[in-house]
Amino acid sequence: MTASQHVPRAAHLAQLNVATLRYPLDDPRMAAFVELLDPVNAAADATPGFVWRLVEEGAADATELRPAGEDVIVNMSVWETREALWDFAYRSGHLEVMRRRREWFERHVEAHLVLWWVPAGHLPTIEEALERLADLREHGPSPRAFTFASSYTAAEAGLHLQALPTLPAQAADGAHPTRAGSSPMA
Amino acid sequence: MRDIDAIAALQDPVRRRLYEYVAAQGREVGRNEAAEAVGVARTLAAHHLDRLTESGLLESGSRRLTGRSGPGAGRPAKVYTRARAERSVSLPGRDYRTAAELLAEAAEEAGLDVGLRAAARRRGEVLRGSAAPCAGLADAMDVLAARGYEPHLEGAGSGQVADGPEGPEGEGGAAAPVVRMRNCPFHAVAERFPPLVCGMNLALLEGLLGADGPVRARMDARPGECCVVVEASKNNIH
């Protein structure tokens, strides 16, 4: 079991959240949400454990990217630990956005938040993120795609970390033995 | 150790005062400090603090209290903090936690946030009775303490600007004093359904303190604390 304890250090937690807008973003009824975007995003960037978030090129956020539908905004980010993401989501100014979510967003019957582990250094694509969400919706929580309420550790998810393109596993330095399936990214 | 044994460990008055002192500090407390605060000898305090640790009510660690490190910094001292685990005893056996979680899960799935907040606000008003809105921060702290929130005043001029969702208050630089709370009475359910239960908690406190009074409750969540702060209402700041 000792080898698997090294896995969490090599893994980061990715997060995708989709939200269906009740009104267009320029509607006055959405003004309070839009006003919170910049301060809350700035708070995320400054949170310990924050690694990366999706931003549209030339913009401050990803609200105009609509890969999941015309009226669906996406929020995607990467964190060092589950705790860091949880504290940001629910123990920062972001909680106020969550508290008022029914004013601005339609209620989702299906899962709207998905978490999954990625090798540290890997930045997930939108396609990859939507696949994880589809996986969660189809199969329920698993080490491949899960939620806060039913989460898995990076070690548990070790075999499900995004496979790296043609990792030259056999060429790796023999001085660093790593367990099959848990090879950290260099 | 069973919950009932842990709680029974608080029967001893000295031990109980030590527990309450450590819990109220919200940080690591050394043996000397705890002994002085409670007014007992250091060896007696050490004995009781270790008994509280054995029973799982406190956690202990070691730290150099001088702040120095390296050779000559002295031996690390034993320090104590309150354990995060909850203890409860119900006779006869009842399980309101599971009931609360199931109700919260159903409310979450049905999107009943608004209805839950309205019920919480009404309950807060009922608890306040016909009394006028809370008169000030000291009053608010009494009310909050009575409901188990463990309030403490975060002082003015601490340099920590209250930077909530509404941004810095910006009243001349010095941060106005706010009441923060170390304990969330709904902790376990709030951790599982944060927006729903934290929204309920805020509404309950709004009802309890009274709307349009000298103080107001506002959401300003931080790690490890209740999600709400209580502060002087804006229209009350001259």
Side-chain angles (χ1 to χ4, degrees):
Chain A
M1 291 305 289
T2 51
S4 64
Q5 284 169 2
H6 296 292
V7 173
R9 299 229 169 271
H12 284 167
L13 187 66
Q15 166 277 136
L16 171 75
N17 173 235
V18 296
T20 304
L21 297 168
R22 294 186 68 178
Y23 319 102
L25 277 183
D26 55 5
D27 187 292
R29 286 167 290 191
M30 297 298 290
F33 169 72
V34 173
E35 276 170 29
L36 285 169
L37 275 170
D38 281 349
V40 169
N41 281 332
D45 296 351
T47 299
F50 168 84
V51 176
W52 172 85
R53 69 182 164 89
L54 178 70
V55 174
E56 189 186 7
E57 205 174 324
D61 55 50
T63 49
E64 290 308 317
L65 292 173
R66 303 290 168 95
E70 247 341 271
D71 57 348
V72 179
I73 59 173
V74 299
N75 176 312
M76 184 159 98
S77 55
V78 174
W79 298 77
E80 286 176 8
T81 62
R82 176 190 182 280
E83 289 66 36
L85 172 57
W86 200 92
D87 274 346
F88 168 69
Y90 301 124
R91 283 292 170 265
S92 78
H94 185 260
L95 178 64
E96 179 65 2
V97 178
M98 298 294 292
R99 183 181 73 94
R100 298 178 65 183
R101 66 208 191 286
R102 310 277 184 228
E103 294 173 37
W104 304 315
F105 307 111
E106 298 291 349
R107 199 155 52 77
H108 286 254
V109 177
E110 289 190 296
H112 52 91
L113 169 79
V114 62
L115 310 175
W116 72 103
W117 293 102
V118 297
H122 171 77
L123 300 182
T125 62
I126 292 257
E127 292 72 28
E128 177 191 337
L130 292 173
E131 277 171 30
R132 300 284 173 161
L133 183 63
D135 187 315
L136 174 68
R137 285 175 170 178
E138 194 173 340
H139 305 291
S142 79
R144 298 184 307 274
F146 48 91
T147 64
F148 276 122
S150 51
S151 64
Y152 293 82
T153 65
E156 288 167 327
L159 294 169
H160 303 276
L161 290 181
Q162 160 114 359
L164 296 172
T166 62
L167 185 73
Q170 301 311 317
D173 184 352
H176 301 282
T178 49
R179 186 180 267 194
S182 66
S183 306
M185 196 165 139
Chain B
M1 183 172 282
R2 290 185 307 146
D3 284 2
I4 194 164
D5 296 324
I7 291 167
L10 293 171
Q11 179 72 20
D12 183 288
V14 172
R15 207 176 288 160
R16 177 155 184 179
R17 274 175 15 232
L18 285 164
Y19 174 78
E20 286 171 350
Y21 178 76
V22 172
Q25 304 315 303
R27 56 173 169 79
E28 294 177 327
V29 173
R31 285 170 162 174
N32 283 342
E33 180 191 344
E36 270 175 39
V38 170
V40 296
R42 184 182 184 280
T43 47
L44 184 65
H47 164 75
H48 283 308
L49 288 167
D50 286 336
R51 283 296 303 276
L52 288 164
T53 306
E54 282 165 31
S55 66
L57 292 167
L58 296 182
E59 284 172 4
S60 68
S62 63
R63 187 166 53 87
R64 286 196 170 90
L65 294 172
T66 56
R68 290 176 291 151
S69 60
R75 280 198 320 139
K78 205 160 182 184
V79 290
Y80 302 84
T81 54
R82 174 161 59 176
R84 290 188 62 85
E86 289 175 28
R87 302 287 182 179
S88 69
V89 171
S90 170
L91 297 172
R94 298 285 193 261
D95 183 9
Y96 301 113
R97 161 90 72 89
T98 301
E101 287 181 354
L102 290 172
L103 290 167
E105 188 173 332
E108 176 80 36
E109 282 173 9
L112 300 180
D113 298 53
V114 173
L116 177 61
R117 291 209 291 259
R121 191 169 288 107
R122 285 196 301 273
R123 172 62 70 92
E125 285 162 0
V126 168
L127 290 170
R128 179 158 50 91
S130 55
C134 208
L137 290 185
D139 239 27
M141 286 182 69
D142 289 344
V143 170
L144 295 167
R147 302 215 64 81
Y149 283 93
E150 301 184 0
H152 61 104
L153 200 63
E154 198 167 88
S158 65
Q160 293 251 340
V161 178
D163 202 358
E166 296 174 14
E169 304 295 321
E171 300 278 347
V178 298
V179 176
R180 289 192 170 270
M181 293 159 252
R182 289 194 214 290
N183 189 45
C184 167
F186 314 111
H187 179 75
V189 196
E191 290 252 303
R192 288 195 54 180
F193 306 95
L196 180 79
V197 177
C198 297
M200 174 195 86
N201 181 48
L202 174 61
L204 181 75
L205 291 175
E206 285 171 346
L208 193 63
L209 301 174
D212 306 318
V215 301
R216 65 162 191 164
R218 174 169 66 84
M219 195 158 262
D220 185 15
R222 276 189 192 174
E225 287 190 337
C226 172
C227 60
V228 171
V229 297
V230 176
E231 62 193 1
S233 302
K234 276 216 180 88
N235 56 14
N236 214 49
I237 297 171
H238 43 267

